Amino acid sequence: MNNPTESLHTIFDRAFSGVDRAVGAFAPRMAPREVGTVTSVSVGTAKVAGLPGVGFDELVKFPGGVYGIAFNVDADQIGVVLLGDCRHLHAGDEVERTGRVMDVPVGAGLIGRVIDPLGAPLDGRGPVASTERLPIERPAPPIMNRARVSVPLQTGLLVVDALIPIGRGQRELILGDRQTGKSAIAIDTIVNQHDQNVLCVYCAIGQRASSVAKVVAALRARGAMEYTVVVVVEGNDPPGLAYIAPYAATSIAEHFMEAGRDVLIVYDDLTHHARAYRELSLLLRRPPGREAFPGDIFYIHSRLLERATHLGADFGGGSLTALPVIETEAQDISAYVPTNLISITDGQIYLSPTLFELGTLPAVDVGKSVSRVGGQAQRPAYRAVAGDLKLAYAQFAELEAFAKFGTRLDEHTRAVIDHGQRVRAVLKQAEFEPASVAEQVLVLVALTGRLLDRVPLDKVRDAGRALRTAAAGLPAAVRQRFSSDDELGAEDRRTLLEVATRAVAPFQPPPAPGAEGRS
Ligand SMILES: Nc1ncnc2c1ncn2[C@@H]1O[C@H](COP(=O)(O)OP(=O)(O)OP(=O)(O)O)[C@@H](O)[C@H]1O
Ligand SMILES: [Mg+2]
């Protein structure tokens, strides 16, 4: 009897439970979207109103896929630095919040690639393979996670490794006027890492596209791209991209460091970076200070370079060595940005246009260059042969300037100058001819053993080359001392001196009465 009612109940039950299920399974596809409007656009920057919740450094999205970073956050409007082409943007365009900060792809897939600071490939070799991303601005490792700088970073340049040694995890500034060989030192250092198990990141900021192309070709030709990432912003890219480039490159390098690797990063150069930042700050109406740079110009570089360090063994033991490059004008190292960087870094390599013109290349002015980590960054065996060469060389440079006045020189002064001239000749090095540690040691042994003092000055470079060739014949046991923390034994010293003496002998004139070997 109640069969029809029951079936009606079942039908209703089924229908309602079906509706319930459908309601339960329905997830609204709506997400809150905060949208503001562009009020004005100028080259590289824009003002946006109607985004009151936006955070400092937050990424915002403009039409056409152009991103920007919220830079000035005021109550009623924000100043945005644009990371793409601004020509198609208009006042009134919609701007969307993204709720995240700027990040870059990181990881092994980037090695060998040339990319822009957003991680887009510039080398025509397809998309960049990467599964991980890191924010471009990251806090520097805390003090307690850091270890002492103790392992050398060989540049392969005798004048640097012997006189201004750089350690892994150190920050060493390369500064000098334009066209004095600043980039050459950095590139040579990258090329020299081929057998040092060091990954490299070369960040080119604001250079001519042709210069960057030349650098990449040179690195590729020498096999250096196999362990290098190149991050490029060209001179005609938006200033916002130039501003973020070094931070993005550092995040790429840090990822390797945190995996326990030794990494070298070159910023070439931070003068262009500082100028891009000044341009953006002035466009956003931040108050200008000295040389029209904004008040936080020191902070933008100190927070960048603080990220370079040597991590303690508990944190993987990786290291990030930074070689920032700065261009001076008319040799003025006391201009605002160069002095800031000198005080932030652990030393500087100063390149002199005068030495460059005289053909003393690399044109390192040893007197004005310093490495505050110094001998700690040399292996004990290397330190033993390099000795106090820097002091002797600096004394020579002073005496030589004095001797130019034509004063009659006593025997001792003459000897110091003769020796110094030979040191200078032997420290000369062409581009892309990095010297291995064994080669450097043999040259230093010949110098400190005064073997070259009897070689005529015009033959010194040849003698230097012969010494470098002879290094291949050094016993493996002796070579091993230079890549470990072993001291140099008396026996090793004898072997080194013997090999060096044999290599130099053909360049020394036979001892004859009156022939002192001076040129
Ligand atoms: N050790 C060297 N031996 C021979 N030539 C060198 C050496 N170092 C640099 N050069 C040459 O000097 C010129 C300037 O070098 P480089 O481009 O490195 O200078 P820079 O200071 O980086 O210049 P810029 O100010 O344009 O960036 C280049 O033509 C380079 O080939
Ligand atoms: Mg350069």
Side-chain angles (χ1 to χ4, degrees), residues 185-209:
I185 291 202
I187 303 296
D188 271 334
T189 307
I190 292 180
V191 170
N192 193 46
Q193 304 312 313
H194 65 97
D195 59 352
Q196 306 282 315
N197 201 16
V198 172
L199 293 175
C200 303
V201 178
Y202 179 75
C203 178
I205 309 166
Q207 298 184 33
R208 288 181 303 274

Side-chain angles (χ1 to χ4, degrees), residues 4 24 39 118 128-129 133 137 141 145 161 173 194 248 256 266 281 314 320 356 370 381 444 480 510:
T39 52
L118 306 172
V128 173
R133 299 182 76 89
E137 294 267 11
N145 299 7
D161 291 343
L173 182 65
H194 65 97
F256 296 126
V266 174
S281 300
D314 298 345
L320 177 59
F356 191 91
V370 65
L444 291 170
Q480 194 267 331

Side-chain angles (χ1 to χ4, degrees), residues 148 150 161-162 165 373-389 441 444 448 482 485 487-488 493:
R148 206 165 64 85
S150 55
D161 291 343
V373 175
Q376 277 176 36
Q378 286 171 330
R379 300 279 192 196
Y382 190 99
R383 189 158 60 229
V385 291
D388 54 0
L389 192 63
V441 164
L444 291 170
T448 42
F482 303 114
D485 280 336
E487 300 277 344
L488 211 54
R493 278 173 188 275

Side-chain angles (χ1 to χ4, degrees), residues 157 176-185 187-188 207-208 211 214 268-269 272 325 327 351 356 360-363 428-432:
L157 298 164
D177 280 10
R178 53 177 302 280
Q179 289 287 304
T180 47
K182 302 183 295 297
S183 303
I185 291 202
I187 303 296
D188 271 334
Q207 298 184 33
R208 288 181 303 274
S211 312
K214 237 170 73 185
D268 195 2
D269 62 38
H272 288 120
V325 177
E327 183 182 301
L351 298 173
F356 191 91
T360 309
L361 294 170
K428 281 187 192 175
Q429 217 169 320
E431 278 178 287
F432 305 117

Side-chain angles (χ1 to χ4, degrees), residues 81-84 116-118 205 232-233 237-246 280:
V81 164
L82 298 170
L83 302 177
D116 75 5
L118 306 172
I205 309 166
V232 182
V233 238
D237 281 332
L241 271 189
Y243 167 67
I244 65 162
L280 294 170

